[in-house]
Amino acid sequence: MSALVSLRHRLGAVELSIEAEMPPGITVLFGPSGAGKTSILRAIAGLLHPEDGRITAGGETWLDTGAGIDLPAHRRRVGYVFQEPRLFPHLTVARNIAYGGQPDAALIELLGLGPLLSRRPGSLSGGEAQRVALARALSRDPSILLMDEPLSALDLGLKRDILPFFERLRDEAGRPILYVSHDIDEVARLADRVILIEDGRAGPSRTVAEALTGDPGSALGRAIAGGLLVATVAAHDPEDNLTEARIGDQRLWLPGRIGEPGDRLRLRLDARDVTLALDRPQGISALNILPATVTAIDPGPGAGALVRLDHQGQGLTARLTRRSVTALGLEPGRRVFAILKTMAATPERVAGG
Amino acid sequence: MTPADWVTIWLSLKVALTATVVSLPFGILVALVLARGRFPGHGALNILVHLPLVLPPVVTGYLLLLAFGAQGPIGRVLEPLGLGIAFRWTGAALAAAVMAFPLMVRAIRLAIEAVPEGLPEAAKTLGASPLRVVLTVILPLALPGILAGAILALAKALGEFGATITFVSNIPGQTQTIPTAIYAALQIPGQEPAAARLILVSIAISAAALIASEWLATRARRRR
């Protein structure tokens, strides 16, 4: 069941505002530090009381300032995974997990917590503690799961261990997850939907592909412009250490061995790494050249422009100088070739195996 | 040790233990309110609790006598019921409790304030009511500080002199505690050995209390 969040609140010099529906799946709240991301989570959990707003989750109204409804935090069915684990140091792992509700044996199994149950939080590693915190939040069977940069305190290896759990949560749970992040690669990997937030003002909720194509209306949107291509692993080339992926019959070569044949991949592009040519280039080192159609051109505030492209129904964006746009005579409808320099691939399990 | 010494030591322990045990729940409550409550009168309560720490003890004792004496507003009610406390061991316990209360509250309050705010918040998001947060998170984590506060209060209660002698006098077997007995012995020439015995007992009890309190404080730090 979707959650609805509509808030306005003055916080020091920042005017916080958000208006969004969060369907089941992961909605990433993306923005720089100090933009008000954590405050929005706290307001949903009832730890901060906004001046004005409405929150409904799991079919219940938690906040309606107009009607004088403001449920205290402990009566809202939220799961809150804080930036730091916040485990109760005087309780065992098992009792921490059971604090908010009866834990599910399958969940303990999924998170690999069985061997840790009798330990105290003080003896856990950072990754273990964050997994316990996740199990504890989920044991409450929340109507919405709030996650505040749960990976920011972990090193790269631990992040890699935990990310697959988050992906499974997204695909299995059927509940809205609001996930705060300032890491664009986390967004590309986890998000179903993205809300950009700058200086307290949250924009509309959009699909991750739309968001990563770039929103010309905001500085943050322009900054993350590029694209998210969804491709399927076709084969591996062990000799050159490349992975072959396909979008329809278009072939893409990715560095390294990624996933298994049949796996769906999310490929994040940065608009700076996309070059355009009018004819298919010959004698070029780039491996990945995609035929595409220009759909729109957004001139930026400076010398640059964002050129929006469509490739088999998937959007991507190139950042060019305005001079290049004019020199190439680019306009909507024009057929071009997009040359991709680098690509960040984030493997993702295909639903159902 | 003479039998009279043992009577004094036993009475002192009884007075101090009663004072500590009876005031502990109030001490925890007041410490909780001061540490976590936000309400008008917060500052006034804080001053009231700390007043016995800074007032001359003889003033505190005299105020108790005014309130609980046979003519006092509270004493007038209690005396006819046989519950009067002035000049009885229960009065000594009250005087000791009042004098030890600020120390007890201070130690417990510091321990409560040392509980990271993130933990009660996490408990709330897990559905714990304010009472459950206090009982399952705040007090267990503050436990070493609560015990340290109780031990400190016990030591203070054992040593209380000024308010006690003013409020309940110095009646051997009734209200005479170790400090008032030492004082009485020192007033009579030739009684120094009696005073010395009680002084040694006093030092031993105080040192034990300090050691116990330090040990608890160290344990509390290790738990974080």
Side-chain angles (χ1 to χ4, degrees):
Chain A
M1 192 177 279
S2 291
L4 260 161
V5 176
S6 151
L7 299 170
R8 277 197 311 113
H9 185 69
R10 172 133 216 105
L11 213 106
V14 176
E15 182 81 47
L16 209 60
S17 71
I18 182 170
E19 184 129 21
E21 184 179 344
M22 289 150 201
I26 294 186
T27 301
V28 172
L29 192 56
F30 179 82
S33 305
K37 304 185 296 288
T38 298
S39 299
I40 287 173
L41 293 199
R42 291 177 65 81
I44 295 172
L47 298 174
L48 178 154
H49 299 276
E51 289 149 11
D52 201 14
R54 248 178 78 82
I55 298 171
T56 62
E60 281 181 340
T61 301
W62 289 352
L63 177 78
D64 187 342
T65 45
I69 298 171
D70 186 359
L71 284 193
H74 67 277
R75 297 192 40 213
R76 302 183 183 197
R77 262 196 123 65
V78 296
Y80 200 146
V81 181
F82 299 90
Q83 212 162 336
E84 64 288 0
R86 296 199 184 182
L87 300 179
F88 304 125
H90 58 300
L91 302 179
T92 59
V93 166
R95 291 185 61 200
N96 262 283
I97 296 173
Y99 191 88
Q102 206 45 50
D104 178 10
L107 175 72
I108 308 273
E109 176 79 15
L110 172 75
L111 290 169
L113 297 177
L116 306 179
L117 288 176
S118 59
R119 305 244 306 258
R120 296 264 173 169
S123 70
L124 302 179
S125 71
E128 288 167 340
Q130 205 52 285
R131 259 152 49 206
V132 174
L134 179 61
R136 184 177 69 170
L138 286 170
S139 294
R140 183 154 164 67
D141 189 20
S143 303
I144 182 169
L145 183 62
L146 308 171
M147 300 175 100
D148 191 354
E149 308 202 29
L151 300 179
S152 65
L154 305 182
D155 62 41
L156 212 60
L158 286 173
K159 274 189 199 182
R160 260 199 292 262
D161 289 345
I162 291 188
L163 276 165
F165 295 126
F166 290 179
E167 286 172 344
R168 257 204 248 183
L169 269 182
R170 173 189 63 200
D171 300 335
E172 289 172 3
R175 63 166 66 91
I177 300 171
L178 185 57
Y179 188 107
V180 160
S181 177
H182 65 243
D183 177 347
I184 191 66
D185 285 317
E186 243 170 76
V187 175
R189 175 149 183 182
L190 292 175
D192 293 308
R193 305 188 69 82
V194 177
I195 297 173
L196 301 183
I197 178 167
E198 271 176 291
D199 299 327
R201 277 188 309 279
S205 165
R206 303 189 305 156
T207 66
V208 60
E210 281 170 356
L212 288 177
T213 306
D215 174 359
S218 80
L220 185 60
R222 296 184 73 84
I224 63 167
L228 188 76
L229 298 176
V230 177
T232 308
V233 175
H236 296 107
D237 179 345
E239 199 171 316
D240 293 338
N241 195 22
L242 292 174
T243 298
E244 182 193 340
R246 283 173 185 265
I247 304 173
D249 54 4
Q250 172 66 45
R251 219 187 257 192
L252 290 169
W253 294 102
L254 307 171
R257 185 189 165 88
I258 306 167
E260 295 302 325
D263 278 2
R264 209 156 57 102
L265 296 180
R266 287 180 167 199
L267 310 172
R268 188 177 75 75
L269 296 168
D270 189 309
R272 270 177 291 262
D273 294 333
V274 181
T275 316
L276 298 185
L278 293 179
D279 305 305
R280 182 177 281 279
Q282 303 290 324
I284 185 168
S285 67
L287 289 171
N288 296 310
I289 300 168
L290 268 56
T293 310
V294 175
T295 54
I297 295 166
D298 299 312
L306 293 178
V307 179
R308 275 154 221 295
L309 307 161
D310 176 277
H311 171 76
Q312 298 186 60
Q314 301 199 38
L316 64 155
T317 302
R319 190 189 301 276
L320 307 181
T321 58
R322 280 198 256 175
R323 177 174 293 179
S324 302
V325 171
T326 316
L328 292 177
L330 295 180
E331 56 185 24
R334 180 87 205 215
R335 296 197 54 80
V336 293
F337 290 89
I339 303 147
L340 313 181
K341 266 184 279 189
T342 55
M343 224 168 341
T346 57
E348 192 195 4
R349 269 181 204 82
V350 180
Chain B
M1 293 287 174
T2 65
D5 287 345
W6 284 116
V7 168
T8 303
I9 293 167
W10 166 238
L11 185 71
S12 262
L13 288 172
K14 183 165 81 167
V15 163
L17 279 170
T18 305
T20 307
V21 169
V22 172
S23 62
L24 187 59
F26 298 99
I28 293 172
L29 200 66
V30 170
L32 264 173
V33 163
L34 287 178
R36 302 189 56 86
R38 253 163 280 142
F39 55 94
H42 186 277
L45 178 65
N46 193 25
I47 287 172
L48 185 70
V49 165
H50 283 95
L51 218 45
L53 198 60
V54 288
L55 276 180
V58 64
V59 172
T60 305
Y62 182 65
L63 291 175
L64 285 172
L65 195 55
L66 281 185
F68 289 91
Q71 307 304 317
I74 304 174
R76 247 200 312 254
V77 181
L78 294 180
E79 288 291 346
L81 301 173
L83 295 172
I85 59 171
F87 306 109
R88 293 190 177 84
W89 78 268
T90 43
L94 178 66
V98 168
M99 294 302 291
F101 201 63
L103 293 173
M104 176 190 274
V105 168
R106 235 183 148 71
I108 299 174
R109 177 182 176 173
L110 285 176
I112 289 171
E113 284 172 349
V115 175
E117 184 50 31
L119 297 177
E121 268 188 358
K124 276 192 244 173
T125 66
L126 292 164
S129 65
L131 181 65
R132 185 165 171 234
V133 173
V134 166
L135 294 180
T136 62
V137 176
I138 294 171
L139 291 187
L141 287 174
L143 189 62
I146 293 171
L147 293 177
I151 289 172
L152 208 57
L154 184 73
K156 170 74 187 167
L158 276 169
E160 215 303 308
F161 176 80
T164 306
I165 205 163
T166 314
F167 183 34
V168 296
S169 184
N170 188 6
I171 310 161
Q174 303 266 333
T175 63
Q176 189 172 64
T177 59
I178 295 174
T180 55
I182 293 170
Y183 174 75
L186 291 177
Q187 300 304 303
I188 303 161
Q191 286 292 301
E192 285 86 357
R197 287 197 300 272
L198 290 174
I199 284 167
L200 286 176
V201 170
S202 192
I203 291 171
I205 294 175
S206 306
L210 274 179
I211 290 167
S213 163
E214 278 303 310
W215 181 73
L216 286 168
T218 317
R219 267 197 52 175
R221 272 196 295 277
R222 233 182 285 145
R223 227 154 131 181
R224 295 269 144 67

